[in-house]
């Protein structure tokens, strides 16, 4: 690329580590030793760059670095689809073992105007791979004059993460977005053969809300409701009881806030605030960050009012 020539970047080992073919290709061969080119770009190799992975000799003992304390990853992130779009919500507490490292991190990152990503896992790894995903989507848009679909973005991320399976990379990203009509969204989606990312015709709708989960071993799951993190079992309990397709925007926002609040109330590694994004055909919008302490006091007041009403009804019945 021109930027590599300007920077005089000559590291061929890194350049040829992941010589994936172009995103539009008829070949499903992922042989790493043979570099293929795209016929639609005058034979120019189209590479997907990821950080270099050290080749490990099985006979060598594994290299380990002593951490100052054991890492315990904890968070609560969620996303769900309803008739008004996609809701993404997350807490803001970053923990390192038993330490609250930061009470006000951002676990939801906008990638482009119609895609946000919730992150769970190692903070450094998640930040790095979000930046890589943002760059690759932008490069695709510049090369093909259209934006890569949400499912295509998830497949691309899965392909880049799979070589790091079994390493200490810890990334769990949920892509929450909206595919626009005519934006390269008709993805040939085949879970049995995920060796290519192409924009071809498909029986699936070409526009609408999308919710896809990708983790660091390359797994890719699509669904209507996804929650990730140590607080996800508590969040699922709330979502399973109140989620429906016909929710209004206000009801969906209230449900997401309630799910995060209940999770942070029971999970020690989640807490502080809640961030909430709403993605529609017009793009994403962010609600002001809310302090969960205020939600706690509102919940205590509601419980107190319910208790007083029960007592009043009991006395009236007698």
């Amino acid at each position: 690329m021109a930027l590599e020539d300007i920077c005089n970047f000559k590291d061929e080992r890194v350049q040829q580590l992941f010589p994936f073919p172009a995103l539009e290709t008829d070949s499903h061969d992922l042989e790493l030793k043979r570099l293929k080119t795209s016929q639609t770009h005058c034979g120019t190799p189209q590479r997907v760059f990821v950080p270099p992975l050290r080749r490990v000799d099985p006979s060598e003992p594994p290299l380990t670095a002593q951490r100052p304390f054991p890492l315990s990853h904890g968070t609560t992130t969620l996303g769900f689809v309803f008739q008004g779009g996609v809701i993404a919500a997350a807490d803001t507490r970053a923990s390192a073992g038993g330490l609250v490292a930061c009470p006000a991190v951002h676990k939801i990152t906008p990638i482009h105007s119609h895609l946000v990503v919730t992150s769970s896992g190692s903070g450094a790894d998640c930040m790095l791979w979000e930046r890589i995903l943002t760059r690759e989507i932008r490069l695709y848009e510049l090369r093909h004059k259209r934006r890569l679909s949400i499912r295509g973005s998830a497949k691309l991320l899965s392909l880049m993460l799979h070589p790091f399976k079994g390493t200490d990379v810890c990334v769990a990203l949920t892509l929450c977005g909206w595919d626009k009509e005519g934006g390269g969204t008709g993805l040939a989606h085949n879970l049995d053969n995920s060796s290519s990312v192409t924009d071809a015709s498909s029986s699936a709708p070409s526009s609408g809300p999308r919710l896809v989960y990708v983790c660091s071993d390359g797994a890719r799951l699509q669904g209507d409701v996804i929650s990730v993190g140590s607080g996800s079992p508590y969040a699922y309990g709330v979502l399973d009881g109140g989620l429906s397709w016909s929710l209004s925007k206000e009801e969906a926002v209230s449900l997401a806030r309630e799910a995060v609040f209940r999770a942070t109330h029971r999970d020690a590694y989640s807490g502080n605030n809640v961030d909430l994004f709403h993605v529609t055909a017009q793009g994403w919008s962010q609600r002001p960050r809310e302090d969960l302490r205020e939600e706690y006091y509102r919940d205590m007041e509601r419980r107190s009012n319910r208790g007083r009403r029960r007592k009043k009804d009991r006395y009236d019945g007698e």
Side-chain angles (χ1 to χ4, degrees):
M1 295 175 61
L3 182 59
E4 296 173 354
D5 297 335
I6 294 174
C7 298
N8 197 25
F9 188 75
K10 301 296 183 182
D11 192 347
E12 294 296 331
R13 182 181 68 84
V14 177
Q15 287 277 346
Q16 298 179 2
L17 183 60
F18 286 93
F20 288 139
L23 297 181
E24 288 192 3
T25 175
D26 295 331
S27 174
H28 288 193
D29 189 5
L30 283 181
E31 293 181 3
L32 297 181
K33 294 182 180 179
R34 184 172 61 184
L35 181 63
K36 297 181 179 179
T37 61
S38 171
Q39 297 178 357
T40 61
H41 293 277
C42 303
T44 304
Q46 304 294 317
R47 300 181 178 90
V48 176
F49 174 78
V50 295
L53 180 65
R54 175 180 173 269
R55 299 183 181 276
V56 179
D57 187 354
S59 61
E60 295 181 359
L63 297 177
T64 59
Q66 187 67 30
R67 295 190 177 97
F69 46 79
L71 294 181
S72 298
H73 305 294
T75 187
T76 300
T77 66
L78 61 90
F80 61 83
V81 177
F82 71 111
Q83 58 88 20
V86 184
I87 293 291
D91 73 302
T92 63
R93 175 175 294 178
S95 58
L99 172 69
V100 178
C102 180
V105 299
H106 294 273
K107 299 182 182 180
I108 306 179
T109 305
I111 302 299
H112 57 68
S113 62
H114 288 75
L115 174 61
V116 299
V117 172
T118 69
S119 57
S120 177
S122 170
D125 292 341
C126 290
M127 292 172 64
L128 172 64
W129 283 101
E130 287 168 353
R131 295 180 66 181
I132 292 175
L133 179 62
T134 302
R135 181 188 61 194
E136 294 301 329
I137 291 176
R138 179 56 178 160
L139 288 175
Y140 181 92
E141 186 176 4
L142 292 173
R143 290 165 179 160
H144 300 273
K145 308 305 180 184
R146 65 179 184 272
R147 184 174 292 157
L148 185 62
S149 66
I150 306 301
R151 287 179 295 172
S153 302
K155 183 175 286 189
L156 172 62
L157 180 62
S158 174
L159 284 172
M160 293 190 295
L161 280 172
H162 186 268
F164 293 87
K165 182 178 181 179
T167 66
D168 289 335
V169 175
C170 183
V171 177
L173 303 180
T174 304
L175 282 67
C176 312
W178 188 287
D179 277 335
K180 299 182 67 176
E181 189 77 34
T185 58
L187 179 69
H189 185 67
N190 187 347
L191 294 179
D192 295 330
N193 185 359
S194 59
S195 59
S196 66
V197 182
T198 61
D199 281 338
S201 61
S202 174
S203 59
S206 59
S207 64
R210 299 284 185 266
L211 189 67
V212 189
Y213 165 78
V214 181
C215 68
S216 49
D217 62 0
R220 186 179 75 254
L221 302 172
Q222 181 172 346
D224 294 330
V225 53
I226 295 174
S227 182
V228 185
S230 56
S232 60
Y234 312 107
Y236 271 125
V238 176
L239 294 174
D240 290 342
L243 181 60
S244 68
W245 174 258
S246 60
L247 290 177
S248 65
K249 176 183 176 181
E250 291 73 19
E251 291 172 337
V253 168
S254 177
L255 178 64
R257 184 173 58 241
E258 177 76 8
V260 175
F261 165 67
R262 296 299 175 186
T264 58
H265 188 64
R266 294 294 181 182
D267 178 37
Y269 297 103
S270 305
N272 294 105
N273 307 287
V274 56
D275 285 333
L276 197 146
F277 282 71
H278 181 211
V279 187
T280 65
Q282 288 72 41
W284 59 262
S285 60
Q286 182 181 8
R287 289 179 60 88
R289 174 172 289 186
E290 298 184 36
D291 193 333
L292 288 171
R293 288 179 299 180
E294 298 177 2
E295 181 67 24
Y296 172 78
Y297 292 132
R298 286 194 295 265
D299 181 67
M300 294 297 295
E301 185 177 356
R302 287 193 297 266
R303 292 187 179 187
S304 178
N305 292 335
R306 285 197 299 266
R308 285 194 293 266
R309 284 196 298 267
R310 291 194 190 100
K311 289 182 180 180
K312 183 180 179 180
D313 295 339
R314 189 182 305 117
Y315 291 149
D316 293 343
E318 295 177 352

